[in-house]
Amino acid sequence: MTNPLLAHWDTPFELPPFAQIDDAHFQPAFETALAEGRAAIAAIADNPEPPTFANTIEAMEQAEDALGRVLGVFYNLAGADSNDARQELQRVFSPALAEYSTQITQNAALFARIESLWEARETLDLNDEQARVLMLTRRSFVRSGAKLEGADKTRMAEISSRLATLGTEFTQRLLADEADWFLELSEEDLEGLPAFVVDAARSAGEEKGLSGPCLTTSRSLISPFLQFSPRRDLREKAFHAWSSRGARGGKNDTRAIAAETLKLREERAKLLGYDSFAAFKLETEMAKTPDAVRGLLMQVWEPAKRAAERDAKILETMLHDDGFEGPLEPWDWRYYSAKRRKIEHDLDEAELKPYLQLDRMIEAAFTCATRLFGLEFEALDVPLYHADARAWNVTRNGEHIAVFIGDYFARGSKRSGAWCSAMRSQKKLGKPVAPIVVNVCNFAKAPKGQPNLLSYDDARTLFHEFGHALHQMLSDVTYESISGTSVARDFVELPSQLYEHWLEVPAVLEEFATHAETGEPMPADMLERLLAAQTYDQGFATVEYVSSALVDLDFHDGDAPADPMQAQAETLERIGMPHAITMRHATPHFAHVFSGDGYASGYYSYMWSEVMDADAFEAFDENGAFDPATAKSLEDNILSRGGSSDPVELYTAFRGRMPGVGALLKGRGLVED
């Protein structure tokens, strides 16, 4: 019987035939596709013809089409709907892929062809996109150890394989640790909680097979519980469970993995001639150096800490007024901050949430894309990998642009957080390919028959991930290696964070923030109060984030720490971390940094991109939120270009200059009088 992963997909838009795919299909498909990739690469390396851009670089771009197709499906399922079989396959695939990649980058004949093209690049009559792909290809080989020899070359291969295994193990242990913990709640424990939190707790209990409600470590449940539960003892239990993920001992503890990962990253960087992993990693980013990153973070850290310390004094007074002695603790902050927001801004999450229906917020994100870029979205009735997932055909002027899949609800089989991925990326080399783009979130699912409601932070997350999706869907390049979000890590968050701003446009909320029961639009005074509170508690949010980014940078800027937990504590002490605030991502559950190299030494990227997104949206403020010319410039210079040019050139083409930190501080309300 033909393996459906390897057959032609005679499906609408050539979507994967999910209904025909079993877990048993993945390993044989992987092995076949990997063998095809090896054969194709060997043919390129051994080609007796002199190297040309077409027979070497373009051939490499097309050598792994089958492998990309198999892995595009597999890794989407492994992250969004994991099970034991898929986790075992991940443990098999990760080192095999690392070995395969190493074999390619250490193929002397292949690298010689690339180097020959690089040396002759001025005579090849390449267009700008081709020149960029050649540079990036060569750089990738060099940074992967193509110039190493002997024992160093062997050791680099060992390190790459081990790091791949460790990243997979970190992810799987964290997922298991998050899934294992839950706290059964009695009816008495639910007192004082808004109905939407109670409903989420009951749904969580149903998913766990319990007879009553429970609390899990899903952010969409635990965060509002910490906001609204008047039970300080339960808040403390919940917070400790949330903050100790990956550090509870036993088989799912991740701390040893973090320590080994940091040591291997340092060794890899030094094999390549760098002083530290941070110096190696940041060389190809916009920031370029650890000092530049630290400079930005500290410019934001000091005003954020001062704001947080002022807020802490107010919240601690409220704690004392409730009859509790001692200092304000981390499990108190969200609770008293919510109370204070109610007092100062007359905003109550329980009153606000009925106006933020999931379906209406999806519609809002789509409509903004229609007004800005002319995109249209039509629901598709097609088999997908999970009943919660849904799909849309994305068109412009009747032309198919992409398929967009949204998978929005939390479940035990899904890793935490929110992300955007592409099962298939856009390209025009050979047969033009339209992308299949997936947004995955972890929103609380309402009981059957009730509307799914979001917090304002959830709605912002939805817009954020859809900004990434637009970067993928509007990509218009020839080569897949520079398509969509294949850009510098500290540039990739610009489109996503920029798109969040349209949620704050009053006209958008006036149209789409409608009450789940009455259908009435959000009252004008509530809308005004919501927008006026955008900078509320930004000291807390900024301290949470920047402390995580500084710990990540310190981990990688210098010798790897023998004990990452001690190193984390030393960084927090040095910067004066406020007592009642913790890192957004402590080391044992810092998946951005330890599930792979993507954000390692790069968690600062959100802040770096925010400097640009705050400045970029000022262009829309100046010309109108849906100004056609500004939107076209954004698409032409950034969203459609992928990694086809240096990001500084792309941003400067859009805005005319690079920005400073002022717009960011203003946007977060951290400008001091």
Side-chain angles (χ1 to χ4, degrees):
M1 182 178 292
T2 303
N3 189 316
L5 288 162
L6 299 174
H8 171 70
W9 294 346
D10 187 18
T11 55
F13 309 106
E14 296 186 355
L15 284 165
F18 291 108
Q20 301 172 30
I21 297 171
D22 295 323
D23 288 340
H25 291 130
F26 282 114
Q27 186 153 355
F30 173 75
E31 291 172 353
T32 298
L34 200 65
E36 287 182 10
R38 282 198 179 97
I41 293 295
I44 297 167
D46 299 337
N47 188 344
E49 296 294 322
T52 65
F53 188 84
N55 72 19
T56 302
I57 304 301
E58 289 189 340
M60 289 172 62
E61 286 275 335
Q62 301 177 88
E64 299 168 349
D65 285 352
L67 185 60
R69 187 165 70 154
V70 172
L71 295 180
V73 177
F74 174 75
Y75 279 109
N76 186 80
L77 269 62
D81 193 26
S82 184
N83 58 31
D84 290 345
R86 291 168 190 169
Q87 290 191 24
E88 177 57 33
L89 288 170
Q90 280 183 285
R91 291 190 286 270
V92 173
F93 290 179
S94 291
L97 286 168
E99 179 185 9
Y100 170 73
S101 178
T102 299
Q103 288 172 350
I104 293 174
T105 55
Q106 293 190 358
N107 185 317
L110 182 62
F111 182 61
R113 295 179 71 85
I114 296 169
E115 194 74 341
S116 175
L117 292 171
W118 176 250
E119 291 171 356
R121 61 191 180 278
E122 300 298 337
T123 67
L124 299 179
D125 195 26
L126 303 178
N127 62 36
D128 290 344
E129 189 174 325
Q130 290 171 329
R132 176 77 172 171
V133 170
L134 174 59
M135 184 278 290
L136 292 172
T137 301
R138 178 185 180 273
R139 188 176 75 181
S140 174
F141 270 67
V142 171
R143 287 170 60 82
S144 297
K147 290 190 171 185
L148 297 178
E149 297 180 351
D152 288 348
K153 192 171 188 176
T154 301
R155 181 57 183 155
M156 178 63 79
E158 293 170 350
I159 290 171
S160 297
S161 177
R162 181 60 180 159
L163 283 172
T165 297
L166 290 172
T168 297
E169 186 67 21
F170 187 95
T171 301
Q172 293 186 352
R173 287 192 189 187
L174 182 56
L175 177 64
D177 202 44
E178 291 172 340
D180 282 353
W181 187 91
F182 61 90
L183 177 66
E184 292 190 66
L185 300 173
S186 67
E187 293 301 314
E188 182 182 84
D189 296 335
L190 301 176
E191 290 179 9
L193 295 174
F196 74 87
V197 182
V198 173
D199 289 342
R202 294 194 191 284
S203 291
E206 288 178 13
E207 194 202 1
K208 293 289 184 186
L210 305 174
S211 58
C214 79
L215 191 62
T216 70
T217 54
S218 169
R219 184 183 290 272
S220 60
L221 175 53
I222 209 161
S223 183
F225 185 87
L226 291 169
Q227 270 186 293
F228 293 110
S229 175
R231 290 276 301 279
R232 196 180 190 214
D233 59 328
L234 291 179
R235 294 202 311 270
E236 182 176 1
K237 282 184 182 179
F239 184 83
H240 281 311
W242 173 248
S243 61
S244 65
R245 289 170 296 142
R248 288 191 268 262
K251 63 180 182 179
N252 293 328
D253 198 292
T254 64
R255 287 171 288 188
I257 293 176
E260 185 180 355
T261 297
L262 293 174
K263 196 68 179 171
L264 289 174
R265 285 176 180 162
E266 178 196 5
E267 185 180 357
R268 182 173 67 176
K270 289 185 174 177
L271 279 173
L272 293 169
Y274 295 86
D275 291 336
S276 68
F277 180 81
F280 162 73
K281 181 68 180 293
L282 295 173
E283 180 185 49
T284 59
E285 306 297 323
M286 295 182 75
K288 301 301 182 188
T289 67
D291 286 346
V293 173
R294 188 170 281 106
L296 167 69
L297 294 174
M298 293 309 295
Q299 281 187 73
V300 179
W301 172 257
E302 293 300 337
K305 185 172 75 166
R306 287 192 290 271
E309 288 170 341
R310 289 193 298 269
D311 291 340
K313 290 178 181 177
I314 297 170
L315 301 184
E316 188 165 273
T317 298
M318 297 171 70
L319 172 76
H320 295 163
D321 289 345
D322 277 354
F324 294 106
E325 297 180 358
L328 184 76
E329 299 288 354
W331 48 90
D332 297 318
W333 191 293
R334 290 171 177 80
Y335 179 71
Y336 286 103
S337 180
K339 280 191 165 188
R340 181 186 171 200
R341 188 174 77 153
K342 173 69 174 171
I343 294 168
E344 294 186 2
H345 294 280
D346 194 21
L347 275 179
D348 185 335
E349 191 79 30
E351 296 176 6
L352 178 64
K353 206 159 185 177
Y355 291 97
L356 300 174
Q357 301 174 67
L358 172 60
D359 286 349
R360 292 293 278 157
M361 290 300 102
I362 293 171
E363 188 181 355
F366 287 177
T367 299
C368 288
T370 300
R371 294 174 181 171
L372 289 164
F373 309 114
L375 300 180
E376 299 289 345
F377 300 82
E378 179 186 6
L380 291 172
D381 183 12
V382 292
L384 296 171
Y385 60 89
H386 193 278
D388 286 343
R390 37 187 160 159
W392 292 265
N393 177 25
V394 186
T395 61
R396 179 157 58 185
N397 299 324
E399 178 187 355
H400 174 65
I401 298 295
V403 171
F404 174 69
I405 298 173
D407 181 359
Y408 295 107
F409 299 123
R411 53 180 175 267
S413 62
K414 183 188 287 187
R415 65 179 170 89
S416 60
W419 64 93
C420 175
S421 62
M423 280 194 200
R424 184 175 69 212
S425 295
Q426 178 271 332
K427 66 175 182 177
K428 292 188 286 189
L429 181 64
K431 175 187 174 184
V433 172
I436 300 172
V437 186
V438 188
N439 274 180
V440 184
C441 299
N442 270 281
F443 304 143
K445 189 174 185 179
K448 190 173 182 179
Q450 296 187 30
N452 293 291
L453 306 178
L454 305 181
S455 68
Y456 193 71
D457 281 346
D458 288 339
R460 183 182 287 111
T461 295
L462 188 149
F463 269 69
H464 177 102
E465 298 306 333
F466 194 71
H468 282 308
L470 288 171
H471 202 181
Q472 295 274 19
M473 292 189 288
L474 291 172
S475 178
D476 186 22
V477 298
T478 300
Y479 302 100
E480 185 176 357
S481 63
I482 54 169
S483 176
T485 56
S486 297
V487 299
R489 183 65 60 175
D490 51 10
F491 191 64
V492 76
E493 298 297 337
L494 169 61
S496 55
Q497 293 178 183
L498 176 59
Y499 206 66
E500 293 178 32
H501 288 275
W502 274 275
L503 181 61
E504 302 167 3
V505 173
V508 173
L509 288 170
E510 287 167 1
E511 182 175 357
F512 295 101
T514 55
H515 198 280
E517 294 179 4
T518 68
E520 292 297 314
M522 182 182 291
D525 64 324
M526 180 183 287
L527 174 59
E528 185 177 340
R529 285 181 273 116
L530 173 63
L531 296 177
Q534 290 304 294
T535 60
Y536 176 74
D537 215 16
Q538 277 299 307
F540 170 85
T542 308
V543 163
E544 258 196 332
Y545 166 77
V546 175
S547 60
S548 298
L550 285 167
V551 166
D552 167 42
L553 184 63
D554 283 358
F555 276 161
H556 297 99
D557 186 19
D559 294 340
D563 183 352
M565 298 305 294
Q566 180 182 340
Q568 171 185 295
E570 290 171 355
T571 294
L572 297 180
E573 182 178 4
R574 188 187 80 249
I575 63 178
M577 185 74 169
H579 171 77
I581 307 178
T582 59
M583 294 167 60
R584 182 172 299 175
H585 303 291
T587 298
H589 53 263
F590 209 160
H592 281 80
V593 172
F594 293 109
S595 288
D597 282 358
Y599 282 91
S601 197
Y603 191 62
Y604 76 92
S605 301
Y606 293 92
M607 187 67 69
W608 191 275
S609 293
E610 190 176 341
V611 170
M612 290 181 285
D613 84 64
D615 174 75
F617 195 70
E618 286 188 351
F620 287 92
D621 276 341
E622 293 161 6
N623 300 310
F626 295 99
D627 177 63
T630 309
K632 187 175 190 309
S633 178
L634 177 64
E635 179 179 352
D636 290 349
N637 292 306
I638 294 178
L639 297 179
S640 69
R641 297 288 304 280
S644 61
S645 291
D646 183 275
V648 172
E649 296 175 7
L650 295 179
Y651 189 83
T652 303
F654 170 62
R655 198 69 172 108
R657 47 146 178 82
M658 290 300 292
V661 75
L664 179 149
L665 293 174
K666 179 183 176 183
R668 286 188 171 236
L670 299 176
V671 176
E672 297 171 325
D673 297 331

